[in-house]
Amino acid sequence: MTNTSALPLLLAQLKAALAARDRAETRRLVSVMLDQRAPLGQQWRAISQLMQASGDLSLALRAVDAFIASSGNDPVAIYSKVVLLTQAQRIEEAHALLSGLPKTVPDAAGHAYVLGNTAMTLGRVDDARRHLLEALAHRPGWGPAWLTLAAAVNLADDPVGDQLLAEAAAAERHAPGDLARYCYALGKLHADRGEPGEAFAAFARGAALLKAETPYGRKADQANAAAAMEGYDCAFFDRAGANQTIDTSRPIFVTGLPRSGTTLVEQILASHSAVQDGGELNLIQHVAVAAGGVSGSAIDQHMARGGTVDGLGELYLHLLLERFGAEGRIIDKTIDASRFMGVIATTLPDAPLIWMRRAPLDNAWSCFRTFFIHGVGWSFDLADIAFHFQLEDALMAFWKQMLGDRLLVVPYEELVEDPALWTARLLAHCGLGEEAAAYAPHLNPRRVATASALQVRRPINRDGLGVAEPYRPWLQPFLNAYAAS
């Protein structure tokens, strides 16, 4: 046990380390307090959240366990570990832990809903449906449950679609964010039933509700994209990496606009025995913070202050180790990796880079009709989608010029038309040997936590081609804005 007289000093040192943004000292102090079983009680939960935010998952889990122990194994405290495990994409563990808790934790509807979501991610569709219907029995019209349930089935002739319609009045009584989710589920119902006008109207209402809560700033988006390209030229990466000594080949970065096929590429690569799926990791942002920004100038200034490219690369690899252990190569499918491409290319020079590209109208419609759990502000308005797409087009062109063959651009349409050809190219680009499993990615039972969860469990097909055509009359604002220079 910690000497209680020493605890105030340790806490003061931790506060100072946090203020100084000293990651190593913060980790050391938290580890010391955990090793000494410091009697912090409820404070362990805040420390767990802090460690999770910094990417130090092992310390976050130890801290949440200390919080649970201090609570006398209270089920509500244990539920906080369920949340942590879910956010860390350790879905199997989260599902098992929640299954052992009372059905009233956190409440009856919430308990069934989380079980349904985790079951869906694990591919247990029948279990997911049962749990989600239970959640709706406790909370009729609840958008989050309907959104997940609608994604699980084709609603064209499923009787659950009639229940969705019957709960419209109940949905109107929920908060705007939950009502928006119901609208996206309703849009899915009409789309499945071949009713494009009604589908577009439902998606548009959901998007409007979310736009009111999550405003999008074009100037900020534009400034962010400009910063991502500032200070880089074709010789920058050679200069920065001249003294690099560590192997950074473990991660494989797959980027591109949302709904452009990144999950399909992840599914292909993760079917290889040497590769683990990582998902949307968001770890590179910690490296950008440590570097002082995403621009080449920020990295130059970091090195002028005594920092090293090796040190930044080691930080990313440490965070990867925290999440996945030491085995296997890891796919990093972080959203908006385009805005961190300079940091990635500089600090992880051995990491393969893949950029997905999809027909703009299909991609735009797929984004507009998708509820993004992390709130993608530009996706709620067709003209904003066009503006963001133009920025991403410029980023792709810039990084292709800077990185050459290191950046493999994969057209979605070509991938689904000739999957064998492009699978071979992907494996070669990533330095992976030929394996039959990569050519049958739908047989890979891995968990998928994105809107493509069910699609990637089907053989690669052409169903995603031309998906916007039935909605073209309503998508003219996108076409007009995207065509404008």
Side-chain angles (χ1 to χ4, degrees), residues 34 38-39 84 97 129 145 173 179 194 288 314 351 420 434 437 465 478:
L34 284 164
L84 172 58
L97 186 59
R129 180 183 178 119
R173 294 192 287 271
L179 175 58
E314 285 170 343
E434 287 282 319
L465 305 182
F478 168 79

Side-chain angles (χ1 to χ4, degrees), residues 175-181 183 204-214 380:
D178 288 348
L179 175 58
R181 290 164 172 83
C183 289
R205 186 185 179 201
L209 287 165
L210 294 175
K211 184 177 181 179
E213 295 188 339
T214 312
F380 307 139

Side-chain angles (χ1 to χ4, degrees), residues 19-79:
R21 297 185 178 181
D22 188 334
R23 294 179 62 98
E25 180 66 0
T26 297
R27 289 198 301 265
R28 186 189 73 81
L29 290 165
V30 171
S31 183
V32 166
M33 288 189 288
L34 284 164
D35 289 343
Q36 297 181 359
R37 292 182 292 169
L40 294 179
Q42 294 275 332
Q43 288 177 278
W44 279 124
R45 183 176 186 180
I47 291 174
S48 174
Q49 293 169 338
L50 175 67
M51 291 296 96
Q52 179 194 6
S54 69
D56 289 292
L57 183 60
S58 60
L59 289 177
L61 288 167
R62 289 182 64 192
V64 81
D65 284 340
F67 166 60
I68 292 168
S70 73
S71 74
N73 292 317
D74 179 71
V76 175
I78 296 173
Y79 182 74

Side-chain angles (χ1 to χ4, degrees), residues 335-409:
I335 289 179
D336 286 341
S338 60
R339 310 304 175 96
F340 297 91
M341 192 58 69
V343 176
I344 295 168
T346 305
T347 62
L348 301 163
D350 306 313
L353 309 174
I354 299 163
W355 195 304
M356 287 301 299
R357 174 77 175 169
R358 187 180 182 188
L361 188 63
D362 283 349
N363 206 161
W365 170 241
S366 294
C367 287
F368 186 70
R369 64 168 291 170
T370 298
F371 175 85
F372 295 105
I373 192 168
H374 298 298
V376 180
W378 53 261
S379 70
F380 307 139
D381 180 279
L382 291 170
D384 287 343
I385 292 174
F387 184 84
H388 183 77
F389 277 25
Q390 289 171 332
L391 294 179
E392 292 297 300
D393 289 348
L395 282 161
M396 187 186 74
F398 176 81
W399 289 119
K400 187 60 180 174
Q401 180 184 8
M402 292 296 105
L403 299 171
D405 290 342
R406 187 181 167 196
L407 178 62
L408 177 65
V409 177

Side-chain angles (χ1 to χ4, degrees), residues 93-117:
E93 295 172 66
H95 187 83
L97 186 59
L98 181 58
S99 296
L101 294 180
K103 290 188 175 183
T104 54
V105 176
D107 58 73
H111 183 96
Y113 168 70
V114 177
L115 283 176
N117 259 347

Side-chain angles (χ1 to χ4, degrees), residues 23 53-55 232 248 251-255 279-295 299 309 311-320 323-324 331-349 351 353 406:
R23 294 179 62 98
S54 69
Y232 295 103
T248 61
I252 299 169
F253 286 87
V254 179
T255 190
E280 297 168 2
L281 298 181
N282 300 312
L283 299 180
I284 196 63
Q285 61 185 292
H286 297 292
V287 181
V289 169
V294 298
S295 68
I299 294 175
V309 173
L312 294 173
E314 285 170 343
L315 171 58
Y316 179 89
L317 295 175
H318 162 74
L319 297 175
L320 210 61
R323 184 74 68 88
F324 298 101
I331 300 168
D332 187 328
K333 201 171 68 71
T334 295
I335 289 179
D336 286 341
S338 60
R339 310 304 175 96
F340 297 91
M341 192 58 69
V343 176
I344 295 168
T346 305
T347 62
L348 301 163
L353 309 174
R406 187 181 167 196

